[in-house]
Every structure is written in C-alpha cells, then in structure tokens.
Amino acid sequence: MYLSFETLAAQDTVYDICIVGAGAAGIAIAVTLAQQGHRTLLCEGGEASYSERSQAIYRGDIVGDPYIPLDDARLRYLGGSTNHWGGICRPLDAHDFTAKVAAPETAWPITQEALAPYYASAATLLNLTPPHADYPVTGSGLERIYFSLGDPVRLKDKYAPALNASSNVDYCLTANLVGLESHNGRIERATLRSFQGDKCYVHARFFVLACGGIENSRLLLWLNQQSSGQLIRNATTLGRYWMEHPHASVGQALLFEPQALGLDQEYNVFLSPTPEMLTKRQLLNCGLRLHRMNAEATQQLIEALSRDAPSLGEQLATWQAQGRVMHGVILRAAWEQEPRFENRVELGTEVDEFGIPHSRLVWRQSALDRHTIRESMILLGEHLLNQDIGRLQLADWLAVQPVTMPSEGELAGRHHMGGTRMSHSAEQGIVNSDCRLFDQENMFVAGSSVFPSVGHANPTLTIVQLALRLCDHLDRQLTLQPRA
C-alpha cells in the first residue's frame, strides 16, 4: 500500500527487503517478493508523475563524444524510464555472455542459461509476445533476428493496483536515499530525505539499490565516500566500464530480390553477424535494422544508383520495364560498445538539493566500436553483391576511414549500462554473480549497471530477468534466515 513519507518516518517497521528505485528492476522485485510473502518496502525518489524538481536531480555534465543531456536521457518518477520505453525487446545472445575475441572484457560470470528460466515470467511482466526464432541467412555470415515488438507497457500503470492492494508491500514516494550505515559488513539502516527536508530511517534485513544505469554508480560513489570507503573497499571499478548502444542511420540499399531477406512480406527486417563472423572479423555484436522505403523513395534511389553506375542503371531500367519489383531500404543500426575502464560515471562539482554531487559522464567510442559497425555493414554489402540481389550504399560518415561518428541524430539508445559490473572478484567489479556488493552481506544492486557487457539487444528484458533471478536468491536467503 502507499505510505506517505511522514507515515514511513513515524513507524518502527523492520522490513524484509528495502528496495530503492521504482523502475523496471525495482517494481519487478517488489511485486515478486510481496507475492512470495516477504514484507517489502519500495522507495521512489520521484513522485507519481513527472516533476521538474525531481528531474533536476538527473542533471549532469558530459565529457567526450556528443551525448543526450543526462536529464533528458532518463526519467525520475514512479516507473522510471519505462515511462518512455518503446517496448522493443529481445534476450541477450548466448555469445554475449562470453569473452569475444575482439574484447575479452565482455565475459560475464554467468551464462545465458542462468537467465533463461526467468524469460517467461519477465515476458509476462512486460507484456511481451515471444519473437520468432532466429535463423542464419545462408552464405552471408548474417542471422535473421527477431524482436518482441508489442505495445510498450507502463509498469507504473500496470502494477499500481497491485502495489496499492498488497498487504506485503509498502511504497513511498519522494523518498530519496542519502545515507547507508554499515556495521561488520552489513547495512543496518538507510537514511531517506523528502523534498520537504524531512528525514527518516529504514531498517531492513536486505537492501536493493535499483536506481538505473547512471544513478546506481553516482549514489554508490557518494555513499562510499561518506563511509570512508567501508561500503566498497575495493572501488577501483566503481562507475567504470560504462556503456551505451550507439545508434545511427548507416546507409541505404536497393534490393533486386527483396524476398531473399524477407522484405517482400515485411517492412522491417533485423540482421546480425553470426558468432563465427564476430570472431573472424574481430567484431562486437551488432543489430542491423532494414526499413523498407516507400515507392517514391525507392525510385529516387534507383535514379541515384543509375547516375553513379550507368551499367547498373541499364539493368535496373530493363527490370523495371519487365515489371520486376525492387525495394529500397533505409539502414539503421544499434551495436555493442566495448567495455572500457576509461568510460565512467564520476561525481561532478555541482550538487543536487540533497548535497549529493551531480553525475559527470565520461564517454568515448573506441576504434573497435567504429570497426564493428563499418564491418557489419560491409558484410551485408558483400552478401548483396556476391549473390547479386542488391547494392548497398554506406552513409557518408561510414564511407571513409578513419570513421568519425555522427555528432547529431539518434546518437544512442538511452541504454545506460555498466558502472557496477558483475564479476568473479572485487578486483574486477562491484557485485558478485548474485548482484551482491562484495563487502556487504545484505546489499544488492539491480538493473543494467551490473552488466559486464551489453550485446546489441535493448536491455529492459535482461534487466527484468536479472531482477527475477535476484528475487529467487533473496527468497532463499530469507527462508534460511527466518525473522527473529
């Protein structure tokens, strides 16, 4: 049920779980653990709907490549950034959990099989219809891949009735985390503050930080600083290995035989290099998105190709006279970014109204990032040429080397990942394979900040799968450690 901040401050409840952050991960965990019978508190720093005051907490500086302003790239109210989620989902590929030849740091300490049991429940939570199975495009080095493309669910709207009705979950708005007290490797209580300046303390057996792929790092950096390094004793990687999915328009193509890629029946087709091709061409993962042009745009592309290659133009004119159907496609892409220590969230010089420094994002794309998208496009172009089923034209910024990334346009997917990476040891990351802080027995981190690498798939489904896996772990811990 809903608790006002004043009511939360006045009570003396010890919760089984305190979750800070009510986005995809936080809501999934709260609803699931409450259904399992655990006394749960869900704390959201924002309000029930958008407010400028809450959103201002997300301001920050950007150093490096052009990027979306940090307070525009995410949302800070109940439901979090699922309130602008587009509903496009697919699981990470099995090879996304392994060390890629081009970047060994992509390895996870868990495999795809660890998340697979949570796919069905995550899909239900997100209102997803399972997509068609992927399959190879013969002789191309590419796979035809599929996404779930349902109507985007707003978790705030879907689960508000359950949050209000459940006797096992309380949720509180404008409850902003400003402190954690640790003793002998256990968090004893969290300090929350409201926008009105009120303060309260929360006691729980377990705590989960689920504030997003930038905010998790910012808060832990600040809280660790306040604890003189006792929260995370080895903080070398805290905030580090931050990643995005670069997005861009990457070219166009004319397909002489659209049926070869399925574009005679569908307006959108998705392709990705096979695992073998990732190894052979030293690539990261990449998703190519082919969007069919209308008849007018296709004709303009035919005319442009005919001017550039007169012999091809003669063949195209003959085919058109024979009534052959050809389709132009616009090519867009989203691709994996290399995990690099240098890309990071750090604390800036200006502070928010709670006295916590705003985020400072240092983000630059690497030579491997640029190589990945260029070679993926060349791979598709070679297939079209070798099979004589089409011709591809790279975008101007991709056509010359060295590649210079666009400074305008889509830029990235607003997919904030890394910063509190999952690893086998405290020297390599911030949380273990159960998403627990290495130095705290009862403190966990949920969300995409724990990703060691990111594939090319939109992260929401993986976030929820990890959240549900964490629920199972917490359920076991709570069962083994009954209440006093």
Side-chain angles (χ1 to χ4, degrees):
M1 65 179 180
Y2 171 71
L3 289 184
S4 68
F5 192 90
E6 293 76 17
T7 302
L8 178 63
Q11 69 177 16
D12 190 26
T13 302
V14 177
Y15 289 92
D16 291 327
I17 307 285
C18 173
I19 305 157
V20 179
I27 288 178
I29 294 169
V31 170
T32 303
L33 289 176
Q35 290 172 345
Q36 293 170 341
H38 302 300
R39 194 78 175 91
T40 304
L41 174 66
L42 177 62
C43 299
E44 167 57 43
E47 301 174 46
S49 57
Y50 180 91
S51 74
E52 291 288 348
R53 187 173 189 177
S54 178
Q55 196 65 20
I57 303 295
Y58 278 171
R59 291 176 186 160
D61 298 323
I62 299 167
V63 177
D65 289 348
Y67 191 64
I68 305 152
L70 299 188
D71 54 338
D72 289 343
R74 51 206 169 127
L75 293 173
R76 194 177 190 272
Y77 61 98
L78 186 62
S81 292
T82 67
N83 288 297
H84 66 194
W85 179 50
I88 300 174
C89 267
R90 66 177 271 117
L92 289 175
D93 296 318
H95 50 276
D96 288 328
F97 293 85
T98 65
K100 295 184 175 73
V101 171
E105 298 87 353
T106 55
W108 289 53
I110 61 174
T111 65
Q112 187 191 52
E113 286 73 21
L115 296 186
Y118 304 98
Y119 175 83
S121 297
T124 298
L125 192 145
L126 295 169
N127 290 357
L128 299 178
T129 301
H132 189 287
D134 301 340
Y135 63 88
V137 179
T138 303
S140 68
L142 295 162
E143 292 181 312
R144 176 82 185 273
I145 62 172
Y146 291 85
F147 289 80
S148 294
L149 301 171
D151 292 330
V153 64
R154 299 291 175 245
L155 294 187
K156 178 185 83 162
D157 299 330
K158 180 175 180 179
Y159 288 101
L163 293 173
N164 283 313
S166 175
S167 59
N168 286 326
V169 62
D170 293 334
Y171 73 99
C172 183
L173 303 177
T174 70
N176 296 273
L177 179 67
V178 296
L180 289 174
E181 295 181 29
S182 173
H183 181 67
N184 291 334
R186 288 187 65 84
I187 303 299
E188 295 192 333
R189 70 177 186 178
T191 304
L192 307 173
R193 281 183 55 192
S194 72
F195 287 121
Q196 287 68 44
D198 298 321
K199 182 184 292 187
C200 79
Y201 301 99
V202 171
H203 296 265
R205 298 165 67 193
F206 293 91
F207 293 84
V208 178
L209 182 65
C211 291
I214 294 176
E215 198 70 354
N216 281 349
S217 291
R218 180 180 86 110
L219 288 173
L220 286 175
L221 284 162
W222 167 249
L223 294 167
N224 199 46
Q225 189 179 102
Q226 296 304 106
S227 74
S228 300
Q230 293 305 299
L231 188 65
I232 301 170
R233 288 195 286 273
N234 189 336
T236 304
T237 63
L238 181 55
R240 300 284 181 162
Y241 297 99
W242 192 87
M243 296 162 287
E244 246 280 13
H245 284 135
H247 281 53
S249 295
V250 290
Q252 54 187 359
L254 180 67
L255 302 184
F256 311 153
E257 297 183 16
Q259 68 277 10
L261 294 177
L263 276 154
D264 57 329
Q265 301 294 325
E266 301 180 50
Y267 277 85
N268 301 302
V269 164
F270 304 94
L271 301 171
S272 183
T274 63
E276 296 77 18
M277 196 55 66
L278 297 184
T279 297
K280 181 177 180 180
R281 300 214 178 185
Q282 301 280 290
L283 306 178
L284 300 170
N285 212 344
C286 180
L288 300 176
R289 306 174 179 193
L290 285 64
H291 307 292
R292 201 164 94 191
M293 294 177 179
N294 60 31
E296 181 180 356
T298 295
Q299 183 57 39
Q300 291 172 354
L301 178 57
I302 289 172
E303 292 170 1
L305 289 173
S306 298
R307 288 192 298 271
D308 293 340
S311 59
L312 174 62
E314 292 176 6
Q315 183 63 68
L316 297 177
T318 300
W319 284 341
Q320 284 189 302
Q322 294 171 347
R324 185 167 177 173
V325 176
M326 295 176 282
H327 288 314
V329 294
I330 297 168
L331 289 153
R332 296 190 176 95
W335 59 100
E336 181 174 15
Q337 185 175 21
E338 178 184 7
R340 298 174 66 226
F341 183 81
E342 295 82 2
N343 285 334
R344 63 195 183 273
V345 176
E346 58 188 24
L347 298 178
T349 55
E350 296 185 0
V351 300
D352 65 22
E353 67 174 273
F354 301 107
I356 301 174
H358 284 294
S359 299
R360 184 174 185 263
L361 177 65
V362 180
W363 183 65
R364 295 180 177 89
Q365 295 172 73
S366 71
L368 179 56
D369 301 340
R370 296 187 288 271
H371 170 76
T372 290
I373 182 54
R374 180 179 166 85
E375 282 299 310
S376 297
M377 284 288 285
I378 288 173
L379 181 63
L380 174 58
E382 289 173 350
H383 176 62
L384 298 181
L385 180 63
N386 293 340
Q387 300 297 316
D388 199 25
I389 57 174
R391 296 293 185 273
L392 182 145
Q393 185 179 67
L394 293 173
D396 290 344
W397 62 271
L398 265 183
V400 296
Q401 296 222 58
V403 169
T404 301
M405 301 300 296
S407 59
E408 297 178 341
E410 198 172 4
L411 296 181
R414 294 178 167 84
H415 302 159
H416 306 150
M417 301 164 288
T420 66
R421 68 187 338 236
M422 182 192 295
S423 68
H424 289 294
S425 71
E427 290 72 35
Q428 299 171 317
I430 301 303
V431 301
N432 68 9
S433 59
D434 293 319
C435 296
R436 179 180 61 81
L437 291 183
F438 281 104
D439 295 319
Q440 305 299 323
E441 294 178 10
N442 64 336
M443 180 80 193
F444 296 80
V445 180
S448 54
S449 68
V450 307
F451 289 16
S453 63
V454 299
H456 71 80
N458 304 49
T460 305
L461 178 57
T462 303
I463 289 171
V464 175
Q465 287 178 285
L466 277 168
L468 297 177
R469 179 174 178 266
L470 175 55
C471 286
D472 271 3
H473 177 76
L474 290 170
D475 180 54
R476 289 192 295 271
Q477 294 298 307
L478 288 162
T479 302
L480 289 171
Q481 304 173 32
R483 278 177 165 271

